[in-house]
Amino acid sequence: MGRLIINTELITLNKYINIERGNKFGAAAIKKKLTNKVSSFATDAKFKIEPDVKHDIVLTWFKPNNRSDHDNISFAVKFVLDGLIKAGILQNDSPKYIGSIIHHFELDRTKSYITCEIEFIPSLPLIN
């Protein structure tokens, strides 16, 4: 079981859509930037999970206020998982490697932006 704190500003779905509508390359740039940041956090932390095991994932999202709906916030799981793949922590984010994805939301007024903590819970050996 491992935990990783992603202490960088993660974008909401509404903000991502607005960027996408404003510039055809803007959304791709945001995806690349956030994927790389998550990858760097994982690499710098020397984060590892048990290989050859399917994992359930628990994400705890820390939000500075209640202005965004939870589905709008949890959209950023895309960048988190893609960053972990890029860092070599996950082979893939398909159902072969990931079981359940559980989201928790915490209000943290000390933060000025949305961050998350990700926890991997080994569930089953991988089946080829």
Side-chain angles (χ1 to χ4, degrees):
M1 184 162 61
R3 289 178 190 234
L4 175 67
I5 296 172
I6 310 295
N7 194 18
T8 190
E9 184 173 1
L10 297 167
I11 195 166
T12 63
L13 177 58
N14 287 346
K15 286 182 184 176
Y16 186 80
I17 289 170
N18 287 338
I19 291 167
E20 190 176 48
R21 288 178 179 163
N23 179 330
K24 66 180 181 176
F25 303 110
I30 291 291
K31 184 191 181 307
K32 183 177 181 179
K33 175 183 167 188
L34 290 177
T35 298
N36 287 338
K37 280 189 172 190
V38 171
S39 177
S40 291
F41 270 101
T43 302
D44 292 348
K46 296 179 175 41
F47 186 71
K48 303 273 188 237
I49 60 171
E50 191 175 342
D52 302 322
V53 174
K54 187 174 189 173
H55 287 83
D56 293 330
I57 297 174
V58 178
L59 292 123
T60 303
W61 301 94
F62 298 95
K63 55 188 184 162
N65 54 53
N66 284 317
R67 291 187 203 136
S68 294
D69 295 337
H70 291 166
D71 60 333
N72 199 359
I73 293 169
S74 62
F75 157 78
V77 69
K78 174 69 178 156
F79 310 119
V80 171
L81 295 180
D82 288 353
L84 294 174
I85 291 168
K86 183 172 183 172
I89 291 158
L90 280 175
Q91 282 185 267
N92 196 306
D93 56 2
S94 72
K96 179 178 178 179
Y97 299 95
I98 296 176
S100 298
I101 299 176
I102 301 160
H103 299 274
H104 294 284
F105 300 87
E106 302 278 335
L107 187 61
D108 184 347
R109 296 194 189 277
T110 66
K111 301 214 178 284
S112 59
Y113 50 82
I114 296 165
T115 63
C116 87
E117 177 184 89
I118 184 167
E119 178 181 4
F120 285 83
I121 302 167
S123 57
L124 299 169
L126 290 179
I127 299 170
N128 291 333

